[in-house]
Amino acid sequence: MPEAKILLIYTGGTIGMVRNPDNQSLSAFNFDALLKQIPDLALLEVNIETTSFPNPVDSANIGPSHWIMLAKILLDNRDAYDGFVILHGTDTMAYTSSTLSFILRGFNKPIILTGAQLPIGILRSDARENIITSIEIAAGRFPNGEPIVKEVAVYFEFNLYRGNRIHKHSSEQFSAFISPNFPPLAEIGVDVQFHHDRLLSVDETLSKSLLQNIHTNLNSNIIAYTLFPGQSHRMLRSLVDQGEVDGLLLVSYGTGNAPRDPELELAIESMIKASRPVVNISQCHAGRIRQDLYEAGRWLQQLGVISGKDLTREAAITKMMYLLDHPEVEAFRHWMESPIAGELSI
Ligand code: ASP
């Protein structure tokens, strides 16, 4: 087989940052300087080409316009490369990997995101290992030339995770991410051990239609509303009554429980009467929503609140952004409660 061809895309993030000598804060740096720090890349039996956002950013600044830009780079180069590695800040990596998994369903080639907790120029940085292993994973093929990974995944600190299952849980440990409701797709020690039974396989018909018709209309008029005891729900109600909220993500307790507070109930009722969806996920990172388990969850189900099942917060928000322009709430409910890119377990 000829060497795999990989496109390395730099968006910004700590991995390529340098310290400003005046105030010591970290800011995004030039891509060529980053590559010079890893001359070993030339030793890999992979043909690597690179591209970069015109202005690399701290991932706190990433949003829908960047996601569309990334999707366009990936689609324009899909046929010319065997796999893709995206260097991205860790802060919002889970949002980007989730969004890409939805808008690029059926892409059918490896899209691996990675980053680092320390800039590559620092001796103890985790960047070098994360980049090199991500490239090896993106280049992984079966003897018939088919890619091993055909989905959006995140490689970090010896684990490959499904991109729409991760959550950044630590700003200090090298293992910055967890995938609380889905096990790793691969574990990396001396060898790369893929769990083939966990990897997505792709429906070819789906892939053709979606790639011709990529859906980039992301609606961000969403409130992610985290409950806490004693909370006043007046502000939420007033925003909902002003018609400002197109989708409400209720971040509830435990298996999907919420206090039966009159203001909260009115806010949820007005959303649902106006055909604007309300989705329930849990403040717990692991486990799933079961609105029928307690009386404190059943009232939400009776009002028509949609179960976010075991979605992460990042996947729930970006999936809502992706699905919100569905004119029919029932179609929205159906897709929200069904896996479309391996993001939830039924
Ligand atoms: N603030 C940085 C970013 O997300 C943190 C990192 O990359 O780890 O861009």
Side-chain angles (χ1 to χ4, degrees), residues 278-280 288-289 291 301 304-309 311 319 323 330-340 343-346:
V278 182
V279 177
N280 190 2
R288 58 191 293 110
I289 293 295
Q291 296 184 129
Q301 188 172 33
V305 172
I306 296 166
S307 167
K309 302 196 173 178
L311 287 172
K319 190 173 179 186
L323 292 179
E330 276 321 302
F332 179 96
R333 174 193 298 279
H334 170 77
W335 290 115
M336 200 68 207
E337 292 184 345
S338 316
I340 60 171
E343 73 284 6
L344 58 79
S345 325
I346 326 182

Side-chain angles (χ1 to χ4, degrees), residues 53-73:
F53 273 4
N55 300 307
V57 287
D58 185 298
S59 77
N61 296 303
I62 291 265
S65 63
H66 298 94
W67 295 333
I68 307 300
M69 181 155 55
L70 262 177
K72 208 173 155 344
I73 296 174

Side-chain angles (χ1 to χ4, degrees), residues 13-14 17 58-59 89-91 116-117:
T14 295
M17 286 186 179
D58 185 298
S59 77
T90 58
D91 288 350
Q117 291 284 56

Side-chain angles (χ1 to χ4, degrees), residues 37 54 76 120 136 191 243 275 282-283 300 312:
Q37 302 281 346
D76 288 349
I120 196 153
E136 286 190 328
D191 297 313
S275 296
S282 176
Q283 292 175 25
L300 296 170
T312 59

Side-chain angles (χ1 to χ4, degrees), residues 152-219:
V152 179
V154 167
Y155 177 72
F156 224 87
E157 190 67 3
F158 307 116
N159 281 293
L160 183 72
Y161 302 109
R162 174 155 302 146
N164 51 35
R165 291 287 195 155
I166 56 153
H167 168 71
K168 180 172 178 183
H169 81 123
S170 173
S171 55
E172 290 177 350
Q173 289 167 20
F174 282 135
S175 60
F177 293 96
I178 50 170
S179 174
N181 288 323
F182 198 75
L185 303 176
E187 279 144 287
I188 286 76
V190 173
D191 297 313
V192 177
Q193 196 202 339
F194 286 103
H195 296 285
H196 294 280
D197 54 326
R198 297 176 192 160
L199 288 162
L200 285 183
S201 50
V202 173
D203 173 344
E204 286 299 332
T205 40
L206 181 73
S207 109
K208 281 198 196 99
S209 61
L210 278 159
L211 292 175
Q212 277 155 14
N213 213 347
I214 168 173
H215 168 106
T216 51
N217 208 359
L218 302 171
N219 182 339

